[in-house]
Amino acid sequence: MTRSLAVGVQLPEVERHVPWREMRDIARAVEDGGFDSLWVGDHLLYRSAEEVNGPWEAWATLAALAEATERVTIGPLVAATAFHNPAVLAKTAATIDEISDGRLVLGLGAGWNRDEFDAFGIPFDHRASRFAEAFDIVRRLLAGEVVSFDGRFHAVTDCELVPRPRPGGPSLMIGSQGPIVLRTTLPHVDAWNGWYAWFGNTPAGAASLLTSVDEACVEVGRDPGTLRKTVSVLVEAPGGVGNIERAKRWDDPPAVTGPPAAIAEQLSRFAEVGVDEVQLVVDPITTGSVAWLSDVLTSPALTR
């Protein structure tokens, strides 16, 4: 059987405190359940009126996941270039791509959560311009170039990655709907990602957003059909807090709900509007919910 849609899972971020051993168990459940990919958020700190929390550091987690799994694609959804020196970020990505035997998808973005920028002393101004310079350095280094760059925000001199990155380097994905970032990246990336809150977590909303991305591709001279389109989708499994409570706490759009067959049917509509892969953000995210969702993968709605 061939699935019409690749399906991945995002690991816990700040839903609750999850120690590494449980994180590893969930990752293995994702792989054993037949899912295609495994993702981690790249954030440092969240603050609200009620609480302060944060996830484990993304790149250390990805290195551990590269060793803990054997088959699934892994990646950040998405990594904020602002959190790292771009040349060091490229070096880190090349290393994890090696550890994972070429399974890394390097998702990149400019970042958005000012609280964590301020708390960790990271500049928040000119984010798109800073990202554009960082992206140029990262992609060229991962392509095997020796890079010298003297920009407004970043500079490297005769920089190169040794050992050399895997030929072709990790696949590049951009997670943004910003015009400047899209113009900068669409000539070069393999894939694009949209977060569920950007399009209301619905196939119709995703279709509208994909139209904008296709138009951005045309503006930079790229065939939209050559870009892999991915979106995160919020899904409720047994034990989730429910749509009303989620909207009250986090202003989330309604989650995809129902038994696995019904969820598969709703996910199939994303494929119909041109989505190639969905990354499931699961409420709750546990080994049990991942096992329960594995039945989605064999539903007739997603297979042919």
Side-chain angles (χ1 to χ4, degrees):
M1 291 186 297
T2 302
R3 243 185 295 123
S4 59
L5 187 72
V7 182
V9 175
Q10 177 162 333
L11 286 174
E13 190 177 24
V14 292
E15 298 90 336
R16 57 190 172 86
H17 171 68
V18 180
W20 163 246
R21 290 183 183 276
E22 183 182 356
M23 191 87 75
R24 182 184 58 196
D25 289 345
I26 296 172
R28 289 177 173 167
V30 169
E31 183 158 82
D32 293 345
F35 292 90
D36 301 291
S37 56
L38 186 62
W39 305 87
V40 299
D42 184 21
H43 286 282
L44 305 173
L45 184 73
Y46 286 98
R47 282 198 173 107
S48 69
E50 293 79 24
E51 60 183 352
V52 178
N53 54 28
W56 298 113
E57 197 279 324
W59 288 99
T61 301
L62 284 166
L65 291 171
E67 182 62 22
T69 60
E70 297 180 353
R71 178 188 57 79
V72 289
T73 297
I74 62 173
L77 196 68
V78 290
T81 55
F83 294 168
H84 308 274
N85 171 291
V88 176
L89 177 59
K91 180 81 170 182
T92 302
T95 301
I96 293 177
D97 196 47
E98 167 66 20
I99 296 170
S100 67
D101 197 23
R103 292 184 287 125
L104 177 70
V105 173
L106 179 53
L108 296 172
W112 59 271
N113 178 16
R114 179 155 196 165
D115 285 343
E116 59 191 341
F117 280 73
D118 291 346
F120 281 78
I122 300 166
F124 193 72
D125 62 320
H126 305 290
R127 280 179 298 139
S129 298
R130 290 178 186 275
F131 172 86
E133 290 189 7
F135 177 78
D136 189 58
I137 293 169
V138 169
R139 73 166 184 85
R140 291 170 61 194
L141 285 172
L142 288 172
E145 293 184 34
V146 179
V147 179
S148 291
F149 183 95
D150 186 13
R152 180 180 176 188
F153 304 106
H154 299 290
V156 293
T157 303
D158 294 333
C159 186
E160 55 187 312
L161 301 184
V162 183
R164 298 295 182 196
R166 180 176 54 85
S171 177
L172 298 179
M173 181 174 76
I174 181 63
S176 178
Q177 55 183 336
I180 295 175
V181 173
L182 290 178
R183 284 197 299 271
T184 299
T185 59
L186 287 178
H188 307 289
V189 296
D190 305 290
W192 169 87
N193 175 256
W195 187 247
Y196 66 81
W198 298 354
F199 56 90
N201 207 46
T202 67
S208 178
L209 189 53
L210 289 179
T211 297
S212 298
V213 174
D214 286 349
E215 291 171 352
C217 283
V218 172
E219 288 177 7
V220 299
R222 177 170 185 166
D223 176 1
T226 65
L227 181 70
R228 181 174 175 83
K229 280 90 167 185
T230 80
V231 297
S232 69
V233 177
L234 178 63
V235 171
E236 183 177 326
V241 299
N243 279 325
I244 294 175
E245 187 64 26
R246 263 191 306 273
K248 187 191 307 179
R249 291 186 190 177
W250 306 294
D251 198 29
D252 270 340
V256 173
T257 62
I263 290 175
E265 181 63 38
Q266 294 174 78
L267 293 181
S268 71
R269 295 173 193 152
F270 285 95
E272 291 170 2
V273 302
V275 172
D276 299 296
E277 179 173 4
V278 294
Q279 300 100 352
L280 303 184
V281 180
V282 186
D283 176 24
I285 178 62
T286 64
T287 55
S289 61
V290 169
W292 181 82
L293 277 168
S294 65
D295 285 347
V296 168
L297 304 179
T298 56
S299 170
L302 288 182
T303 56
R304 62 174 183 266

